[in-house]
Amino acid sequence: MRKPLVATCSTDKSVRIWNFETCTLELYKEFSEEAYSIALHPSGLYILVGFSDKLRLMNLLIDDIRVFREFTIRGCRECSFSHGGNLFAAVHTHIIQIYSPMTFDNISNLKGHNGKVQSVVWSADDSKIITCGMDGAVYEFDVATGKRVGESVLKSCSYSSVATTPDGKTTFAVGSDRTLKEISDSAILREVPSHEGQLISLVMSHSGKMLFAGTQAGTVRSYKFPLTLPGEWQEFQGHSSAIVKMRISYDDQYLVTISEDASILLWRIQDKEGRGVKRDKEVGYAQEILITKSDLEEKNQMMTELNLRVDELRTENEYALRLKDMNYNEKIKELTEKFIQEMESLKTKNQVLKTEKDKEEAKHEEETSEIKQNHSNLLADLEAANNQKLMMEYEKLQDLQHRSQKIQEEYEHQIGEMEENRERALEELTEYYETKLQEKTTQLEQAHDESRTALKEYEETKRQIEEDADREIMDIKNKYERKLRDAREANSRLQGESGLMQKKFVSLQKEIEEAREEIKKYKGDISKLEKDKDDLKKDIVGLRKEIAERDETIQDKEKRIYDLKKKNQELEKFKFVLDYKIKELKKQIEPRENDIKMMKEQIQEMESELERFHKQNTQLELNITELRQKLNSTNVELKQERQRTRDKEASIKRFKTDLHNCVGYIQDPKMLKDSIKALYQKHVQEDITESASVDADIQKEYARQREHLERSVASLRKKLAKDTEIHRADNVRIMQENVSLIKEINDLRKELKIARTQVHDLEAAMGLHRKNNTGEAAATLAGVATQTKNAMLEKDLEECNKVIDLQKVKIAQLTDQMTILEEGVFSRPPSVGRLPPMVST
């Protein structure tokens, strides 16, 4: 909300903070165990991370993620801050715990789910929490009271995500039944089917105008809102696996999706025309960061050291620059001198080169004039030679033309002779081939006669062959007709079997389709079970750790029990000696029993008096409560009367201001008249006389009731003073009896202390406290017991033990009654310090 940040956790045991505006990684930290859930505070300065052993609240520092508070919530799979940041909700299996991040107190525990809670969403005003779980329940809780105010239970569906509108009146949920449900007033209004894929996650925009859903296949669906049946949406492919979480930025500009394929996608939200969502006002992100005091002090110290170092370097640089300036000035002087000398030398060289150049130019002009003259002479000679060559070549051309005419005439004569020879040879060839043609025609006629005779022979053989073939065809036809009949019977039989097989094939196809659907369902169930299995494995690891810790504590306790058993055995050895001493002490206790009976009777009398006092006190408390109620009613009326006076004063003040405004129109009679009419219509009403008379009656009734109440309060005060004087004498008497009983108890304690010292002295005399002589003392005691063993003595000993036990019980009861009486006498101030409680031995 305050910063453009996104917090993520993964199975690689890392927590990462991303900036979705710059698309950069702000912070990164690896932990020793996997983080199950994460939530970012609206201020962008804190995160809440759930681990297998605890839930940790961490600070986002400038360069680190540091833990500063831990909560004992094991395996928290879902956590979420409220929109205001003053509360956060954490899921502990099927209980949602609400904590305050300021005081770290557990505000309330929201109970109701029977299975794991999958999603927790706060309403826009943080007054409600909407949750959904694997038990098929969607609950709505009131944060202030911790009570459930709405519910929708569908046990056939295992919900995975939930979203709510900004006003908190409508809830949307998705689950395993492949539908998007719209819930309002604990009832399902619509169920929009998802058709192809299962919807996993759901998110609603802060403006309440957009609804997005993530599917099992990794696509994002933008639903047309409000929802219609059978549902309209646009689908966008982005991930290759199921989308587990979706969040929208506070300004509804960006959608962030996180998938099981270990990728985070940032989507820009636009309408159909490609325009972004309009912002009501520009949101400026905060630039504050957290830093610890130690880091700040280190940085400040580093800054001071660096400033000192900068000052030192500045002085050193200034000194070095001065030295360099001096060196550079000397070098510049040397260089200028060298430059001047070189300039003079170059000037002299330039003058020498100029003179040489003039000489070379004159020489070059002479040479060019000579070359031009030689060239013109050569050109004239070449022209003369070329003219001679042309004349010679022309004469050769004329000779060649004369020769070519002669050769052409010879070729024409030869061509005429060759044509005459060709015609003669053609005539000879025609005569030769005509004779040959006549011979061939005679041969052809002979061949025709031979072919006619061969044709007759062929037709005769053909007729005979056809007769034989017809006979064979009839035989083959009969044979194949029998085979065809058998084949038709077999075909009809096979058609019946094929009909049965087709029916079986159709039924088997249906069974295969049903089996495929069941396999798909089983695969989905197997994937869910595998997820549950992974979760359970992690829970088992945590529980194993806890079992190991408890085993260690059990071993320590077993060692302690073993030591106590040893001590118990030693104490049993001393029991025999103490029984003998008890017999002697019993004789001393008998005379005290009579005193205890007397004390019992006195205590019973005191109890009866105490009951009477309690009844009187209860009656007085009832009277006081009635008076308090009357006083509260008078206070309420007094407040109402004060409110009326305030209203009257306010109306008077308004009247004064309006009258002051009217006085401003004193020079304008018309405006003054209009303003006075308006003033009259505003302040004067018709029932003013009636209200005045009613107010007077109310005041009289109020004064009468007030006088009556004052008289009753005065009489009750007098009665209370008399009762306190009566009770004071009883309290003094009870206090004196209490003092006498305390003295007797102190005397008994002194006698008991003396008896204990005597027992201790006897044990020391017998050597029971020595470590080396314990065996010998036990042997002597056993010997005494065997020597003095008698049936009568044993009976007496048992009776004495029973009497002692009864006396112990009675003493304990008396001490309890004494403590109750001491607490009951609340009006008596303690005279002396409290005695320690009696311990029966």
Side-chain angles (χ1 to χ4, degrees):
M1 193 180 293
R2 294 286 311 284
K3 293 186 176 184
L5 298 179
V6 176
T8 61
C9 63
S10 179
T11 54
D12 61 356
K13 302 179 182 178
S14 68
V15 171
R16 301 167 191 258
I17 309 298
W18 309 84
N19 189 321
F20 61 78
E21 280 213 332
T22 60
C23 296
T24 56
L25 181 64
E26 294 275 336
L27 287 173
Y28 165 77
K29 189 169 184 179
E30 288 189 358
F31 295 90
S32 60
E33 54 186 336
E34 181 186 347
Y36 293 152
S37 60
I38 192 167
L40 182 66
H41 194 270
S43 64
L45 301 176
Y46 316 103
I47 58 170
L48 196 65
V49 185
F51 293 94
S52 61
D53 56 348
K54 287 181 182 178
L55 180 69
R56 293 179 173 89
L57 188 62
M58 304 183 184
N59 282 327
L60 296 180
L61 303 179
I62 188 170
D63 56 356
D64 192 15
I65 301 172
R66 198 169 295 173
V67 179
F68 77 96
R69 187 71 180 184
E70 293 182 344
F71 302 91
T72 56
I73 299 174
R74 290 179 178 273
C76 179
R77 295 280 177 179
E78 185 70 20
C79 57
S80 176
F81 279 102
S82 63
H83 294 93
N86 58 333
L87 296 171
F88 70 83
V91 174
H92 188 205
T93 62
H94 57 278
I95 298 170
I96 302 101
Q97 297 183 353
I98 308 297
Y99 283 88
S100 170
M102 306 304 172
T103 60
F104 312 115
D105 294 332
N106 187 359
I107 306 300
S108 62
N109 293 326
L110 309 180
K111 298 178 181 179
H113 285 280
N114 296 323
K116 283 188 178 180
V117 178
Q118 295 289 92
S119 180
V120 176
V121 177
W122 293 79
S123 63
D125 57 356
D126 295 336
S127 63
K128 294 178 185 177
I129 285 182
I130 296 91
T131 64
C132 70
M134 296 179 72
D135 56 353
V138 176
Y139 290 139
E140 185 177 344
F141 294 95
D142 191 343
V143 177
T145 60
K147 293 180 179 178
R148 193 165 62 202
V149 296
E151 62 180 13
S152 175
V153 180
L154 187 63
K155 293 190 176 180
S156 61
C157 175
S158 177
Y159 289 110
S160 60
S161 183
V162 70
T164 182
T165 55
D167 58 1
K169 293 180 180 179
T170 307
T171 304
F172 302 93
V174 294
S176 60
D177 61 350
R178 296 172 178 252
T179 58
L180 171 61
K181 295 178 180 61
E182 183 178 352
I183 302 167
S184 179
D185 296 330
S186 302
I188 298 173
L189 298 180
R190 293 180 189 84
E191 290 189 12
V192 179
S194 63
H195 298 298
E196 297 175 1
Q198 181 180 348
L199 302 178
I200 301 295
S201 56
L202 200 63
V203 68
M204 169 69 75
S205 66
H206 296 89
S207 62
K209 297 178 181 178
M210 295 173 285
L211 182 65
F212 298 96
T215 65
Q216 185 78 31
T219 59
V220 176
R221 288 186 181 181
S222 174
Y223 278 89
K224 184 179 179 181
F225 196 80
L227 292 178
T228 58
L229 288 174
E232 295 181 23
W233 65 81
Q234 287 184 342
E235 196 164 16
F236 306 94
Q237 183 71 44
H239 295 279
S240 63
S241 186
I243 297 172
V244 293
K245 287 288 180 186
M246 301 174 72
R247 290 290 183 269
I248 293 178
S249 62
Y250 183 68
D251 55 358
D252 291 341
Q253 293 290 318
Y254 299 100
L255 170 66
V256 182
T257 59
I258 299 171
S259 172
E260 289 178 352
D261 60 1
S263 65
I264 303 168
L265 291 185
L266 183 66
W267 307 77
R268 184 181 290 279
I269 300 172
Q270 297 177 344
D271 57 8
K272 290 182 180 179
E273 297 176 358
R275 294 176 297 184
V277 179
K278 292 183 179 179
R279 302 185 188 181
D280 295 336
K281 55 182 180 179
E282 287 294 325
V283 179
Y285 292 113
Q287 300 296 325
E288 296 88 358
I289 54 170
L290 283 181
I291 187 168
T292 59
K293 190 176 181 182
S294 59
D295 292 341
L296 186 63
E297 288 174 353
E298 286 178 3
K299 288 186 177 179
N300 288 331
Q301 188 175 359
M302 194 184 291
M303 286 286 288
T304 53
E305 291 175 357
L306 289 170
N307 286 325
L308 292 170
R309 181 67 180 157
V310 166
D311 294 334
E312 290 175 359
L313 289 169
R314 191 177 290 151
T315 53
E316 289 175 0
N317 286 329
E318 287 177 355
Y319 180 69
L321 285 169
R322 286 175 187 169
L323 290 174
K324 284 181 181 179
D325 288 337
M326 292 171 69
N327 293 325
Y328 286 145
N329 289 325
E330 291 176 357
K331 286 180 181 180
I332 286 164
K333 286 180 182 178
E334 291 176 358
L335 289 169
T336 50
E337 290 174 356
K338 285 181 182 179
F339 179 72
I340 290 164
Q341 289 175 1
E342 287 177 357
M343 284 286 288
E344 289 176 354
S345 64
L346 287 169
K347 281 180 181 178
T348 54
K349 284 180 182 179
N350 194 10
Q351 288 176 358
V352 171
L353 289 169
K354 277 183 180 180
T355 54
E356 289 178 355
K357 180 192 169 188
D358 294 335
K359 289 177 181 178
E360 290 290 331
E361 282 179 353
K363 188 177 179 181
H364 180 68
E365 285 177 357
E366 290 176 358
E367 288 177 353
T368 51
S369 60
E370 289 177 359
I371 289 163
K372 282 179 181 179
Q373 191 174 1
N374 292 327
H375 180 69
S376 59
N377 294 327
L378 286 169
L379 188 63
D381 294 335
L382 287 169
E383 283 179 355
N386 286 327
N387 288 326
Q388 290 177 0
K389 285 181 180 180
L390 283 169
M391 291 299 289
M392 290 171 70
E393 291 293 329
Y394 183 70
E395 289 175 355
K396 286 179 180 179
L397 179 64
Q398 286 180 352
D399 293 334
L400 288 169
Q401 285 178 353
H402 184 66
R403 286 179 187 174
S404 66
Q405 285 178 359
K406 287 181 178 179
I407 290 164
Q408 191 174 3
E409 289 174 356
E410 289 176 356
Y411 278 128
E412 286 176 355
H413 181 70
Q414 288 177 0
I415 287 164
E417 291 177 353
M418 287 173 73
E419 283 180 353
E420 290 176 356
N421 293 326
R422 185 176 64 79
E423 289 175 356
R424 202 179 299 116
L426 185 63
E427 289 175 355
E428 291 175 357
L429 285 169
T430 50
E431 289 176 358
Y432 173 74
Y433 279 111
E434 283 176 355
T435 56
K436 264 192 174 186
L437 184 63
Q438 289 175 358
E439 291 175 357
K440 291 289 181 183
T441 52
T442 55
Q443 289 177 2
L444 185 64
E445 288 175 356
Q446 290 175 2
H448 278 300
D449 295 332
E450 290 174 357
S451 67
R452 287 190 195 96
T453 57
L455 184 63
K456 289 177 182 178
E457 290 175 358
Y458 170 71
E459 285 176 354
E460 185 66 27
T461 53
K462 181 181 177 184
R463 187 178 58 75
Q464 291 175 0
I465 288 163
E466 282 177 354
E467 288 176 357
D468 295 333
D470 290 335
R471 205 176 296 115
E472 287 176 0
I473 285 162
M474 288 300 291
D475 295 333
I476 291 162
K477 184 179 179 184
N478 294 325
K479 183 180 176 182
Y480 279 109
E481 279 179 354
R482 278 191 229 101
K483 285 184 180 180
L484 183 63
R485 200 179 301 115
D486 296 334
R488 281 175 181 170
E489 290 174 358
N491 191 13
S492 62
R493 189 172 62 254
L494 289 170
Q495 279 180 354
E497 290 176 359
S498 68
L500 293 171
M501 292 299 288
Q502 280 180 353
K503 289 179 182 177
K504 287 182 181 179
F505 180 70
V506 171
S507 63
L508 287 169
Q509 274 187 342
K510 288 180 181 177
E511 289 176 0
I512 287 162
E513 288 176 357
E514 290 174 357
R516 281 177 182 169
E517 290 178 357
E518 288 179 357
I519 287 162
K520 285 181 182 177
K521 288 180 182 177
Y522 289 143
K523 282 182 180 177
D525 295 335
I526 286 161
S527 62
K528 287 180 184 176
L529 290 169
E530 283 178 354
K531 287 181 182 177
D532 296 336
K533 182 182 171 185
D534 296 333
D535 297 336
L536 290 170
K537 279 182 181 177
K538 290 172 183 175
D539 295 336
I540 285 162
V541 171
L543 290 170
R544 280 179 181 168
K545 288 180 183 177
E546 192 173 354
I547 286 162
E549 293 173 358
R550 289 188 179 178
D551 286 336
E552 291 176 359
T553 55
I554 286 162
Q555 287 175 2
D556 296 333
K557 287 181 179 179
E558 283 178 353
K559 287 178 183 177
R560 193 175 174 187
I561 288 161
Y562 180 70
D563 296 334
L564 290 170
K565 281 181 180 178
K566 282 185 177 179
K567 288 181 181 178
N568 194 10
Q569 289 175 0
E570 292 175 358
L571 291 169
E572 283 177 357
K573 291 176 184 178
F574 300 138
K575 185 180 178 183
F576 182 75
V577 177
L578 293 171
D579 289 337
Y580 178 73
K581 299 304 286 181
I582 285 162
K583 287 178 184 178
E584 294 180 355
L585 291 168
K586 196 195 290 183
K587 294 176 183 178
Q588 297 176 3
I589 289 166
E590 285 177 359
R592 298 292 178 186
E593 288 180 358
N594 297 323
D595 297 333
I596 288 165
K597 287 179 183 178
M598 294 293 290
M599 287 179 185
K600 278 184 182 179
E601 292 175 358
Q602 291 178 1
I603 287 163
Q604 286 176 358
E605 292 176 358
M606 291 167 72
E607 282 178 353
S608 61
E609 290 179 358
L610 191 65
E611 285 177 0
R612 187 163 52 80
F613 292 152
H614 276 304
K615 287 178 182 177
Q616 291 176 358
N617 285 330
T618 52
Q619 188 62 36
L620 288 170
E621 284 176 358
L622 289 169
N623 294 330
I624 288 163
T625 52
E626 287 177 1
L627 291 170
R628 279 179 181 168
Q629 288 175 358
K630 290 178 181 178
L631 186 64
N632 289 328
S633 64
T634 53
N635 284 329
V636 170
E637 290 175 357
L638 185 63
K639 285 179 182 176
Q640 291 175 356
E641 192 63 30
R642 283 177 180 169
Q643 186 63 37
R644 286 195 200 109
T645 54
R646 286 195 205 99
D647 295 338
K648 294 291 182 184
E649 286 175 357
S651 61
I652 289 163
K653 193 178 284 185
R654 288 196 298 272
F655 180 74
K656 283 181 178 178
T657 54
D658 293 337
L659 187 63
H660 180 72
N661 293 328
C662 289
V663 171
Y665 300 114
I666 195 76
Q667 300 296 329
D668 190 355
K670 188 176 181 182
M671 290 293 288
L672 182 63
K673 185 179 179 182
D674 294 337
S675 60
I676 287 166
K677 280 182 181 178
L679 185 65
Y680 179 80
Q681 290 173 0
K682 185 177 180 182
H683 293 285
V684 179
Q685 284 136 7
E686 294 177 358
D687 57 348
I688 191 161
T689 55
E690 293 177 2
S691 63
S693 62
V694 170
D695 291 338
D697 294 335
I698 289 165
Q699 286 176 359
K700 286 178 184 177
E701 182 65 24
Y702 172 71
R704 188 175 62 77
Q705 288 181 0
R706 185 174 178 181
E707 288 174 0
H708 175 68
L709 288 170
E710 285 175 353
R711 278 194 234 101
S712 61
V713 168
S715 63
L716 286 168
R717 279 179 182 168
K718 288 176 184 177
K719 191 175 180 183
L720 184 63
K722 288 178 183 178
D723 289 335
T724 50
E725 287 176 359
I726 292 162
H727 291 311
R728 191 177 292 119
D730 294 333
N731 289 331
V732 169
R733 184 173 57 77
I734 290 163
M735 187 175 65
Q736 288 173 357
E737 290 174 356
N738 196 4
V739 168
S740 64
L741 289 169
I742 288 164
K743 285 178 182 178
E744 289 178 2
I745 289 163
N746 288 328
D747 295 334
L748 288 169
R749 284 180 178 171
K750 285 176 183 177
E751 290 176 2
L752 184 63
K753 191 175 181 183
I754 291 161
R756 282 179 181 170
T757 53
Q758 287 175 1
V759 170
H760 189 272
D761 294 335
L762 283 169
E763 288 174 356
M766 291 173 73
L768 291 171
H769 291 294
R770 297 177 190 171
K771 291 182 180 178
N772 298 324
N773 296 329
T774 54
E776 295 176 2
T780 54
L781 288 169
V784 171
T786 53
Q787 288 172 7
T788 60
K789 195 167 185 181
N790 194 354
M792 295 294 289
L793 289 171
E794 286 179 356
K795 286 181 182 179
D796 293 335
L797 185 62
E798 288 176 359
E799 289 176 359
C800 291
N801 285 327
K802 288 179 182 178
V803 172
I804 287 164
D805 293 333
L806 291 170
Q807 293 295 328
K808 285 179 182 177
V809 173
K810 287 182 180 179
I811 288 165
Q813 290 175 357
L814 288 168
T815 51
D816 294 335
Q817 290 175 1
M818 288 293 292
T819 53
I820 290 163
L821 286 169
E822 286 175 0
E823 291 173 358
V825 185
F826 57 88
S827 62
R828 181 183 66 82
S831 58
V832 293
R834 286 191 178 182
L835 293 169
M838 290 179 69
V839 179
S840 61
T841 57

